Amino acid sequence: MSSISPKKIFTYTAHNKVELVRGGSKYFNLLVKMIDDARHSVHLQVYILTDDETGRLVMEALKKAAGRGVPVYVLVDGYASQDLPKEFIADAVHAGVQFRFFEPFLKSQHFYFGRRLHHKVVVTDARYCMVGGINIANRYNDMPGEKAWMDWGIYAEGEVAADLFKVCRELWAKQKTAGEKEPSYIELPAALISEQCQVRVRRNDWVRKYNQVSGSYIEMFHKATGEITIMSSYFLPGRLIRKKMAAAAKRGVSIRLVLAGSSDIMITKYAERYIYRWIFKNKIRLYEYQGNVLHGKLSFYDDKWVTVGSYNVNFISAYASIELNLDIANKGFAGSVKQTIDAIIEEDCIEIRENEFASRYNFARRFMHQVSYEFIQLVFFLITFYFRPRRD
């Protein structure tokens, strides 16, 4: 098996077909269909996999694929998915699914607490793929009486899927234990897609010297001339991102932030609100999503470029977790994404204005925001300060 260089950077591929997929039933219906249609291989790598209705729905599709002779490889994070019942895993393995944990909690040879497998990727037959921020659990799906959290994925066919296949194959191989044998892969040509859409794979993994998604954001702030829109959960940008964002705003780029109105991690929301004053100071427009929990990670600029994936604009995604985004450089696609997000801003968000914010939050609450921010910064430091990028 050929390996990927530690500094491998996938460039834009031209022959691709892409679709923006909102989280919920549409996403999981498409995920199951991809697995059902697979004929040569399935790679599923995800942060959270749970033993609930959604987790069992996806696992049943994986077991059926393995039953018809398709090699199936499932890699889940060893911390976020550590509560998976042994019976759930054993049943999958018995059905032929090849299952591994990424860096089992406090058990792996090179353990870094903050370095978790945060990306969410599925690749079938090295030709079809889906990348986003959507974990496999009920809260990311549309359940009776409860809508899915707001989140996004990119479905793609074509050359980019072959690049993602290499990423998944390499990461899978690095998690093997003593005595495990690696499979022999059938090399497949990239899907023949006549459509022209430039797409590239971008990764962050500080330990292995990947800072590509962070680089994409910096590139966006440099290149934008008209408008930037960032939809992000857990928005706590570091100094470099803030500096580049402020510089873009200063030269006249209109910047919109779409952040969570309520969060599953409220201390993070309090910490976010501490930097609202910095946002107002730099003339950046701010919206809070009101539908339910915002978990999506999507950004675009000038109606010509979009990035979607698992990367949160914060210190952990920049310097700890393994993240993966797809960048799409295509005016038609970017324009359609803008229309979708514009509609969400209009229908499901409220704009937060400086004077209203100041009157809503008194000194005691603003102090709580600051304390939350300082606490989160301390946590970021404690789980990342000892990182030393290593060679493969």
Side-chain angles (χ1 to χ4, degrees), residues 322-365:
I322 296 177
E323 309 285 1
L324 193 146
N325 275 36
L326 291 184
D327 291 352
I328 301 98
N330 181 277
K331 288 186 177 180
F333 179 75
S336 69
V337 170
K338 183 180 186 304
Q339 289 181 355
T340 297
I341 302 304
D342 284 351
I344 289 171
I345 291 174
E346 177 69 25
E347 298 168 9
D348 299 319
C349 297
I350 59 171
E351 185 167 5
I352 307 299
R353 302 180 188 276
E354 185 173 9
N355 58 344
E356 296 169 354
F357 179 78
S359 63
R360 184 187 308 176
Y361 296 99
N362 59 26
F363 173 79
R365 297 181 74 180

mmCIF file of all heavy atoms in Angstrom, residues 322-365:
data_model
loop_
_atom_site.group_PDB
_atom_site.id
_atom_site.type_symbol
_atom_site.label_atom_id
_atom_site.label_comp_id
_atom_site.label_asym_id
_atom_site.label_seq_id
_atom_site.Cartn_x
_atom_site.Cartn_y
_atom_site.Cartn_z
ATOM 1 N N ILE A 322 -8.159 16.295 14.640
ATOM 2 C CA ILE A 322 -8.021 15.972 13.223
ATOM 3 C C ILE A 322 -9.299 16.421 12.529
ATOM 4 O O ILE A 322 -10.391 15.949 12.843
ATOM 5 C CB ILE A 322 -7.792 14.467 13.016
ATOM 6 C CG1 ILE A 322 -6.462 14.053 13.650
ATOM 7 C CG2 ILE A 322 -7.801 14.113 11.535
ATOM 8 C CD1 ILE A 322 -6.191 12.576 13.566
ATOM 9 N N GLU A 323 -9.165 17.368 11.618
ATOM 10 C CA GLU A 323 -10.312 17.962 10.936
ATOM 11 C C GLU A 323 -10.188 17.758 9.436
ATOM 12 O O GLU A 323 -9.070 17.608 8.911
ATOM 13 C CB GLU A 323 -10.390 19.464 11.225
ATOM 14 C CG GLU A 323 -10.331 19.853 12.687
ATOM 15 C CD GLU A 323 -11.614 19.569 13.440
ATOM 16 O OE1 GLU A 323 -12.569 19.046 12.844
ATOM 17 O OE2 GLU A 323 -11.657 19.879 14.654
ATOM 18 N N LEU A 324 -11.315 17.794 8.754
ATOM 19 C CA LEU A 324 -11.294 17.644 7.299
ATOM 20 C C LEU A 324 -12.434 18.449 6.693
ATOM 21 O O LEU A 324 -13.579 18.323 7.105
ATOM 22 C CB LEU A 324 -11.403 16.175 6.894
ATOM 23 C CG LEU A 324 -11.089 15.878 5.419
ATOM 24 C CD1 LEU A 324 -10.410 14.520 5.270
ATOM 25 C CD2 LEU A 324 -12.353 15.914 4.566
ATOM 26 N N ASN A 325 -12.085 19.285 5.722
ATOM 27 C CA ASN A 325 -13.047 20.083 4.958
ATOM 28 C C ASN A 325 -12.876 19.815 3.477
ATOM 29 O O ASN A 325 -11.810 19.362 3.035
ATOM 30 C CB ASN A 325 -12.829 21.576 5.198
ATOM 31 C CG ASN A 325 -13.536 22.101 6.429
ATOM 32 O OD1 ASN A 325 -13.644 21.404 7.443
ATOM 33 N ND2 ASN A 325 -14.015 23.331 6.348
ATOM 34 N N LEU A 326 -13.897 20.133 2.731
ATOM 35 C CA LEU A 326 -13.778 20.240 1.285
ATOM 36 C C LEU A 326 -13.925 21.702 0.906
ATOM 37 O O LEU A 326 -14.854 22.384 1.353
ATOM 38 C CB LEU A 326 -14.860 19.418 0.572
ATOM 39 C CG LEU A 326 -14.765 17.900 0.661
ATOM 40 C CD1 LEU A 326 -15.857 17.248 -0.191
ATOM 41 C CD2 LEU A 326 -13.395 17.378 0.237
ATOM 42 N N ASP A 327 -12.994 22.196 0.078
ATOM 43 C CA ASP A 327 -13.090 23.528 -0.509
ATOM 44 C C ASP A 327 -13.631 23.383 -1.920
ATOM 45 O O ASP A 327 -13.133 22.552 -2.699
ATOM 46 C CB ASP A 327 -11.720 24.194 -0.582
ATOM 47 C CG ASP A 327 -11.158 24.557 0.783
ATOM 48 O OD1 ASP A 327 -11.883 24.430 1.785
ATOM 49 O OD2 ASP A 327 -9.976 24.975 0.832
ATOM 50 N N ILE A 328 -14.625 24.198 -2.255
ATOM 51 C CA ILE A 328 -15.224 24.160 -3.589
ATOM 52 C C ILE A 328 -15.088 25.532 -4.223
ATOM 53 O O ILE A 328 -15.608 26.529 -3.691
ATOM 54 C CB ILE A 328 -16.715 23.750 -3.541
ATOM 55 C CG1 ILE A 328 -16.870 22.369 -2.889
ATOM 56 C CG2 ILE A 328 -17.307 23.732 -4.941
ATOM 57 C CD1 ILE A 328 -17.245 22.401 -1.446
ATOM 58 N N ALA A 329 -14.378 25.602 -5.333
ATOM 59 C CA ALA A 329 -14.195 26.860 -6.061
ATOM 60 C C ALA A 329 -15.048 26.806 -7.323
ATOM 61 O O ALA A 329 -14.602 26.329 -8.370
ATOM 62 C CB ALA A 329 -12.724 27.076 -6.400
ATOM 63 N N ASN A 330 -16.281 27.259 -7.199
ATOM 64 C CA ASN A 330 -17.222 27.184 -8.320
ATOM 65 C C ASN A 330 -18.307 28.241 -8.099
ATOM 66 O O ASN A 330 -19.005 28.207 -7.083
ATOM 67 C CB ASN A 330 -17.831 25.785 -8.396
ATOM 68 C CG ASN A 330 -18.798 25.628 -9.560
ATOM 69 O OD1 ASN A 330 -19.959 25.991 -9.450
ATOM 70 N ND2 ASN A 330 -18.307 25.075 -10.667
ATOM 71 N N LYS A 331 -18.450 29.161 -9.034
ATOM 72 C CA LYS A 331 -19.384 30.275 -8.857
ATOM 73 C C LYS A 331 -20.831 29.808 -8.755
ATOM 74 O O LYS A 331 -21.599 30.312 -7.924
ATOM 75 C CB LYS A 331 -19.225 31.271 -10.011
ATOM 76 C CG LYS A 331 -17.937 32.076 -9.959
ATOM 77 C CD LYS A 331 -17.909 33.138 -11.041
ATOM 78 C CE LYS A 331 -16.650 33.985 -10.937
ATOM 79 N NZ LYS A 331 -16.605 35.050 -11.991
ATOM 80 N N GLY A 332 -21.213 28.863 -9.604
ATOM 81 C CA GLY A 332 -22.600 28.391 -9.571
ATOM 82 C C GLY A 332 -22.950 27.761 -8.234
ATOM 83 O O GLY A 332 -24.002 28.051 -7.644
ATOM 84 N N PHE A 333 -22.059 26.906 -7.732
ATOM 85 C CA PHE A 333 -22.309 26.253 -6.452
ATOM 86 C C PHE A 333 -22.290 27.267 -5.322
ATOM 87 O O PHE A 333 -23.167 27.264 -4.443
ATOM 88 C CB PHE A 333 -21.264 25.169 -6.212
ATOM 89 C CG PHE A 333 -21.431 24.459 -4.901
ATOM 90 C CD1 PHE A 333 -22.446 23.531 -4.717
ATOM 91 C CD2 PHE A 333 -20.576 24.723 -3.841
ATOM 92 C CE1 PHE A 333 -22.615 22.882 -3.499
ATOM 93 C CE2 PHE A 333 -20.723 24.088 -2.627
ATOM 94 C CZ PHE A 333 -21.749 23.165 -2.455
ATOM 95 N N ALA A 334 -21.293 28.150 -5.314
ATOM 96 C CA ALA A 334 -21.201 29.154 -4.255
ATOM 97 C C ALA A 334 -22.431 30.053 -4.243
ATOM 98 O O ALA A 334 -22.932 30.425 -3.167
ATOM 99 C CB ALA A 334 -19.930 29.980 -4.427
ATOM 100 N N GLY A 335 -22.928 30.379 -5.420
ATOM 101 C CA GLY A 335 -24.127 31.211 -5.493
ATOM 102 C C GLY A 335 -25.340 30.530 -4.885
ATOM 103 O O GLY A 335 -26.138 31.164 -4.176
ATOM 104 N N SER A 336 -25.480 29.224 -5.145
ATOM 105 C CA SER A 336 -26.615 28.486 -4.579
ATOM 106 C C SER A 336 -26.490 28.355 -3.065
ATOM 107 O O SER A 336 -27.487 28.424 -2.331
ATOM 108 C CB SER A 336 -26.728 27.097 -5.226
ATOM 109 O OG SER A 336 -25.644 26.265 -4.848
ATOM 110 N N VAL A 337 -25.247 28.179 -2.569
ATOM 111 C CA VAL A 337 -25.027 28.121 -1.123
ATOM 112 C C VAL A 337 -25.398 29.455 -0.487
ATOM 113 O O VAL A 337 -26.049 29.509 0.566
ATOM 114 C CB VAL A 337 -23.570 27.742 -0.812
ATOM 115 C CG1 VAL A 337 -23.276 27.918 0.680
ATOM 116 C CG2 VAL A 337 -23.291 26.308 -1.237
ATOM 117 N N LYS A 338 -25.003 30.543 -1.130
ATOM 118 C CA LYS A 338 -25.336 31.869 -0.600
ATOM 119 C C LYS A 338 -26.849 32.047 -0.503
ATOM 120 O O LYS A 338 -27.359 32.564 0.509
ATOM 121 C CB LYS A 338 -24.737 32.961 -1.476
ATOM 122 C CG LYS A 338 -24.995 34.376 -0.946
ATOM 123 C CD LYS A 338 -24.393 35.436 -1.848
ATOM 124 C CE LYS A 338 -24.526 36.833 -1.238
ATOM 125 N NZ LYS A 338 -25.922 37.193 -0.917
ATOM 126 N N GLN A 339 -27.576 31.634 -1.514
ATOM 127 C CA GLN A 339 -29.039 31.753 -1.476
ATOM 128 C C GLN A 339 -29.618 30.965 -0.301
ATOM 129 O O GLN A 339 -30.533 31.438 0.395
ATOM 130 C CB GLN A 339 -29.636 31.263 -2.793
ATOM 131 C CG GLN A 339 -29.390 32.176 -3.972
ATOM 132 C CD GLN A 339 -30.017 31.654 -5.250
ATOM 133 O OE1 GLN A 339 -30.569 30.551 -5.296
ATOM 134 N NE2 GLN A 339 -29.956 32.441 -6.307
ATOM 135 N N THR A 340 -29.078 29.764 -0.076
ATOM 136 C CA THR A 340 -29.562 28.928 1.022
ATOM 137 C C THR A 340 -29.304 29.590 2.373
ATOM 138 O O THR A 340 -30.195 29.649 3.233
ATOM 139 C CB THR A 340 -28.866 27.551 0.973
ATOM 140 O OG1 THR A 340 -29.208 26.887 -0.251
ATOM 141 C CG2 THR A 340 -29.305 26.677 2.151
ATOM 142 N N ILE A 341 -28.091 30.084 2.580
ATOM 143 C CA ILE A 341 -27.743 30.695 3.861
ATOM 144 C C ILE A 341 -28.458 32.029 4.039
ATOM 145 O O ILE A 341 -28.896 32.365 5.150
ATOM 146 C CB ILE A 341 -26.219 30.863 3.997
ATOM 147 C CG1 ILE A 341 -25.520 29.497 3.856
ATOM 148 C CG2 ILE A 341 -25.869 31.507 5.329
ATOM 149 C CD1 ILE A 341 -25.995 28.443 4.830
ATOM 150 N N ASP A 342 -28.616 32.794 2.959
ATOM 151 C CA ASP A 342 -29.367 34.047 3.051
ATOM 152 C C ASP A 342 -30.789 33.795 3.540
ATOM 153 O O ASP A 342 -31.325 34.558 4.365
ATOM 154 C CB ASP A 342 -29.418 34.744 1.685
ATOM 155 C CG ASP A 342 -28.108 35.431 1.316
ATOM 156 O OD1 ASP A 342 -27.214 35.510 2.186
ATOM 157 O OD2 ASP A 342 -27.986 35.869 0.157
ATOM 158 N N ALA A 343 -31.407 32.720 3.038
ATOM 159 C CA ALA A 343 -32.775 32.396 3.451
ATOM 160 C C ALA A 343 -32.828 32.013 4.928
ATOM 161 O O ALA A 343 -33.762 32.388 5.649
ATOM 162 C CB ALA A 343 -33.327 31.263 2.585
ATOM 163 N N ILE A 344 -31.819 31.274 5.378
ATOM 164 C CA ILE A 344 -31.766 30.890 6.796
ATOM 165 C C ILE A 344 -31.575 32.114 7.675
ATOM 166 O O ILE A 344 -32.207 32.251 8.732
ATOM 167 C CB ILE A 344 -30.646 29.852 7.016
ATOM 168 C CG1 ILE A 344 -31.051 28.512 6.386
ATOM 169 C CG2 ILE A 344 -30.342 29.668 8.503
ATOM 170 C CD1 ILE A 344 -29.953 27.481 6.363
ATOM 171 N N ILE A 345 -30.709 33.033 7.263
ATOM 172 C CA ILE A 345 -30.507 34.266 8.024
ATOM 173 C C ILE A 345 -31.807 35.058 8.107
ATOM 174 O O ILE A 345 -32.174 35.587 9.173
ATOM 175 C CB ILE A 345 -29.384 35.107 7.389
ATOM 176 C CG1 ILE A 345 -28.027 34.416 7.577
ATOM 177 C CG2 ILE A 345 -29.354 36.519 7.977
ATOM 178 C CD1 ILE A 345 -26.880 35.096 6.860
ATOM 179 N N GLU A 346 -32.521 35.133 6.994
ATOM 180 C CA GLU A 346 -33.768 35.898 6.948
ATOM 181 C C GLU A 346 -34.865 35.258 7.793
ATOM 182 O O GLU A 346 -35.601 35.956 8.508
ATOM 183 C CB GLU A 346 -34.235 36.011 5.487
ATOM 184 C CG GLU A 346 -35.553 36.722 5.292
ATOM 185 C CD GLU A 346 -35.479 38.210 5.600
ATOM 186 O OE1 GLU A 346 -34.374 38.783 5.503
ATOM 187 O OE2 GLU A 346 -36.536 38.797 5.926
ATOM 188 N N GLU A 347 -34.974 33.934 7.745
ATOM 189 C CA GLU A 347 -36.108 33.252 8.360
ATOM 190 C C GLU A 347 -35.842 32.753 9.780
ATOM 191 O O GLU A 347 -36.771 32.689 10.599
ATOM 192 C CB GLU A 347 -36.524 32.063 7.482
ATOM 193 C CG GLU A 347 -36.980 32.468 6.093
ATOM 194 C CD GLU A 347 -37.120 31.281 5.144
ATOM 195 O OE1 GLU A 347 -37.026 30.122 5.633
ATOM 196 O OE2 GLU A 347 -37.316 31.504 3.937
ATOM 197 N N ASP A 348 -34.601 32.382 10.076
ATOM 198 C CA ASP A 348 -34.337 31.661 11.327
ATOM 199 C C ASP A 348 -33.307 32.325 12.229
ATOM 200 O O ASP A 348 -32.900 31.724 13.228
ATOM 201 C CB ASP A 348 -33.851 30.232 11.007
ATOM 202 C CG ASP A 348 -34.880 29.432 10.234
ATOM 203 O OD1 ASP A 348 -36.066 29.535 10.563
ATOM 204 O OD2 ASP A 348 -34.478 28.702 9.298
ATOM 205 N N CYS A 349 -32.873 33.530 11.902
ATOM 206 C CA CYS A 349 -31.850 34.192 12.709
ATOM 207 C C CYS A 349 -32.323 35.564 13.169
ATOM 208 O O CYS A 349 -33.206 36.172 12.553
ATOM 209 C CB CYS A 349 -30.558 34.362 11.900
ATOM 210 S SG CYS A 349 -29.773 32.818 11.402
ATOM 211 N N ILE A 350 -31.719 36.033 14.236
ATOM 212 C CA ILE A 350 -31.906 37.418 14.654
ATOM 213 C C ILE A 350 -30.549 38.102 14.625
ATOM 214 O O ILE A 350 -29.531 37.497 14.961
ATOM 215 C CB ILE A 350 -32.541 37.527 16.056
ATOM 216 C CG1 ILE A 350 -31.680 36.833 17.114
ATOM 217 C CG2 ILE A 350 -33.953 36.979 16.065
ATOM 218 C CD1 ILE A 350 -32.138 37.077 18.534
ATOM 219 N N GLU A 351 -30.537 39.353 14.185
ATOM 220 C CA GLU A 351 -29.286 40.094 14.179
ATOM 221 C C GLU A 351 -29.035 40.659 15.571
ATOM 222 O O GLU A 351 -29.936 41.215 16.212
ATOM 223 C CB GLU A 351 -29.311 41.220 13.153
ATOM 224 C CG GLU A 351 -27.968 41.939 13.042
ATOM 225 C CD GLU A 351 -27.869 42.851 11.834
ATOM 226 O OE1 GLU A 351 -28.878 43.017 11.112
ATOM 227 O OE2 GLU A 351 -26.759 43.396 11.618
ATOM 228 N N ILE A 352 -27.817 40.499 16.049
ATOM 229 C CA ILE A 352 -27.415 41.014 17.348
ATOM 230 C C ILE A 352 -26.702 42.343 17.117
ATOM 231 O O ILE A 352 -25.664 42.390 16.463
ATOM 232 C CB ILE A 352 -26.487 40.028 18.091
ATOM 233 C CG1 ILE A 352 -27.115 38.636 18.161
ATOM 234 C CG2 ILE A 352 -26.161 40.561 19.481
ATOM 235 C CD1 ILE A 352 -28.429 38.569 18.897
ATOM 236 N N ARG A 353 -27.277 43.413 17.665
ATOM 237 C CA ARG A 353 -26.704 44.746 17.493
ATOM 238 C C ARG A 353 -26.041 45.198 18.796
ATOM 239 O O ARG A 353 -26.437 44.801 19.882
ATOM 240 C CB ARG A 353 -27.781 45.734 17.057
ATOM 241 C CG ARG A 353 -28.468 45.310 15.759
ATOM 242 C CD ARG A 353 -29.543 46.312 15.358
ATOM 243 N NE ARG A 353 -30.330 45.832 14.238
ATOM 244 C CZ ARG A 353 -29.997 45.948 12.953
ATOM 245 N NH1 ARG A 353 -28.851 46.563 12.648
ATOM 246 N NH2 ARG A 353 -30.767 45.478 11.996
ATOM 247 N N GLU A 354 -25.051 46.057 18.638
ATOM 248 C CA GLU A 354 -24.224 46.419 19.788
ATOM 249 C C GLU A 354 -25.032 47.045 20.921
ATOM 250 O O GLU A 354 -24.874 46.673 22.087
ATOM 251 C CB GLU A 354 -23.115 47.383 19.343
ATOM 252 C CG GLU A 354 -22.139 47.725 20.445
ATOM 253 C CD GLU A 354 -20.961 48.538 19.946
ATOM 254 O OE1 GLU A 354 -20.990 48.980 18.778
ATOM 255 O OE2 GLU A 354 -20.006 48.715 20.730
ATOM 256 N N ASN A 355 -25.917 47.986 20.597
ATOM 257 C CA ASN A 355 -26.661 48.662 21.659
ATOM 258 C C ASN A 355 -27.623 47.710 22.360
ATOM 259 O O ASN A 355 -27.786 47.760 23.584
ATOM 260 C CB ASN A 355 -27.399 49.885 21.109
ATOM 261 C CG ASN A 355 -28.359 49.536 19.983
ATOM 262 O OD1 ASN A 355 -28.272 48.452 19.406
ATOM 263 N ND2 ASN A 355 -29.271 50.448 19.672
ATOM 264 N N GLU A 356 -28.251 46.825 21.592
ATOM 265 C CA GLU A 356 -29.173 45.863 22.184
ATOM 266 C C GLU A 356 -28.427 44.864 23.061
ATOM 267 O O GLU A 356 -28.900 44.473 24.134
ATOM 268 C CB GLU A 356 -29.942 45.131 21.085
ATOM 269 C CG GLU A 356 -30.839 46.041 20.261
ATOM 270 C CD GLU A 356 -31.367 45.343 19.014
ATOM 271 O OE1 GLU A 356 -30.922 44.198 18.750
ATOM 272 O OE2 GLU A 356 -32.205 45.938 18.318
ATOM 273 N N PHE A 357 -27.253 44.451 22.609
ATOM 274 C CA PHE A 357 -26.447 43.504 23.384
ATOM 275 C C PHE A 357 -26.028 44.119 24.710
ATOM 276 O O PHE A 357 -26.102 43.484 25.771
ATOM 277 C CB PHE A 357 -25.216 43.090 22.571
ATOM 278 C CG PHE A 357 -24.304 42.132 23.279
ATOM 279 C CD1 PHE A 357 -24.614 40.785 23.363
ATOM 280 C CD2 PHE A 357 -23.133 42.583 23.871
ATOM 281 C CE1 PHE A 357 -23.774 39.907 24.026
ATOM 282 C CE2 PHE A 357 -22.283 41.707 24.529
ATOM 283 C CZ PHE A 357 -22.615 40.362 24.605
ATOM 284 N N ALA A 358 -25.591 45.369 24.671
ATOM 285 C CA ALA A 358 -25.144 46.041 25.891
ATOM 286 C C ALA A 358 -26.274 46.186 26.895
ATOM 287 O O ALA A 358 -26.075 46.052 28.112
ATOM 288 C CB ALA A 358 -24.564 47.408 25.543
ATOM 289 N N SER A 359 -27.490 46.455 26.411
ATOM 290 C CA SER A 359 -28.618 46.624 27.328
ATOM 291 C C SER A 359 -29.141 45.296 27.849
ATOM 292 O O SER A 359 -29.689 45.229 28.952
ATOM 293 C CB SER A 359 -29.747 47.392 26.628
ATOM 294 O OG SER A 359 -30.236 46.649 25.512
ATOM 295 N N ARG A 360 -28.965 44.225 27.081
ATOM 296 C CA ARG A 360 -29.483 42.920 27.478
ATOM 297 C C ARG A 360 -28.621 42.257 28.552
ATOM 298 O O ARG A 360 -29.127 41.540 29.411
ATOM 299 C CB ARG A 360 -29.570 41.990 26.255
ATOM 300 C CG ARG A 360 -30.208 40.629 26.563
ATOM 301 C CD ARG A 360 -30.116 39.682 25.377
ATOM 302 N NE ARG A 360 -30.623 40.278 24.151
ATOM 303 C CZ ARG A 360 -30.563 39.667 22.967
ATOM 304 N NH1 ARG A 360 -29.987 38.468 22.860
ATOM 305 N NH2 ARG A 360 -31.059 40.252 21.891
ATOM 306 N N TYR A 361 -27.315 42.489 28.488
ATOM 307 C CA TYR A 361 -26.408 41.792 29.400
ATOM 308 C C TYR A 361 -25.773 42.799 30.364
ATOM 309 O O TYR A 361 -24.964 43.650 29.948
ATOM 310 C CB TYR A 361 -25.334 41.042 28.614
ATOM 311 C CG TYR A 361 -25.910 39.945 27.752
ATOM 312 C CD1 TYR A 361 -26.128 40.139 26.391
ATOM 313 C CD2 TYR A 361 -26.262 38.721 28.313
ATOM 314 C CE1 TYR A 361 -26.673 39.135 25.605
ATOM 315 C CE2 TYR A 361 -26.816 37.706 27.527
ATOM 316 C CZ TYR A 361 -27.017 37.919 26.189
ATOM 317 O OH TYR A 361 -27.567 36.926 25.422
ATOM 318 N N ASN A 362 -26.124 42.677 31.642
ATOM 319 C CA ASN A 362 -25.596 43.578 32.652
ATOM 320 C C ASN A 362 -24.158 43.192 33.014
ATOM 321 O O ASN A 362 -23.595 42.240 32.479
ATOM 322 C CB ASN A 362 -26.487 43.600 33.895
ATOM 323 C CG ASN A 362 -26.639 42.211 34.519
ATOM 324 O OD1 ASN A 362 -25.771 41.353 34.367
ATOM 325 N ND2 ASN A 362 -27.734 42.014 35.231
ATOM 326 N N PHE A 363 -23.588 43.934 33.958
ATOM 327 C CA PHE A 363 -22.191 43.709 34.316
ATOM 328 C C PHE A 363 -21.939 42.283 34.799
ATOM 329 O O PHE A 363 -20.941 41.652 34.430
ATOM 330 C CB PHE A 363 -21.769 44.702 35.410
ATOM 331 C CG PHE A 363 -20.389 44.434 35.953
ATOM 332 C CD1 PHE A 363 -19.260 44.837 35.247
ATOM 333 C CD2 PHE A 363 -20.219 43.754 37.154
ATOM 334 C CE1 PHE A 363 -17.992 44.588 35.729
ATOM 335 C CE2 PHE A 363 -18.944 43.495 37.646
ATOM 336 C CZ PHE A 363 -17.833 43.913 36.933
ATOM 337 N N ALA A 364 -22.844 41.760 35.637
ATOM 338 C CA ALA A 364 -22.660 40.415 36.188
ATOM 339 C C ALA A 364 -22.629 39.360 35.086
ATOM 340 O O ALA A 364 -21.795 38.439 35.106
ATOM 341 C CB ALA A 364 -23.764 40.102 37.189
ATOM 342 N N ARG A 365 -23.505 39.498 34.091
ATOM 343 C CA ARG A 365 -23.543 38.512 33.010
ATOM 344 C C ARG A 365 -22.334 38.662 32.094
ATOM 345 O O ARG A 365 -21.795 37.668 31.605
ATOM 346 C CB ARG A 365 -24.854 38.650 32.234
ATOM 347 C CG ARG A 365 -26.079 38.366 33.095
ATOM 348 C CD ARG A 365 -27.355 38.485 32.323
ATOM 349 N NE ARG A 365 -27.557 37.365 31.415
ATOM 350 C CZ ARG A 365 -28.614 37.233 30.623
ATOM 351 N NH1 ARG A 365 -29.564 38.166 30.609
ATOM 352 N NH2 ARG A 365 -28.738 36.188 29.832
#
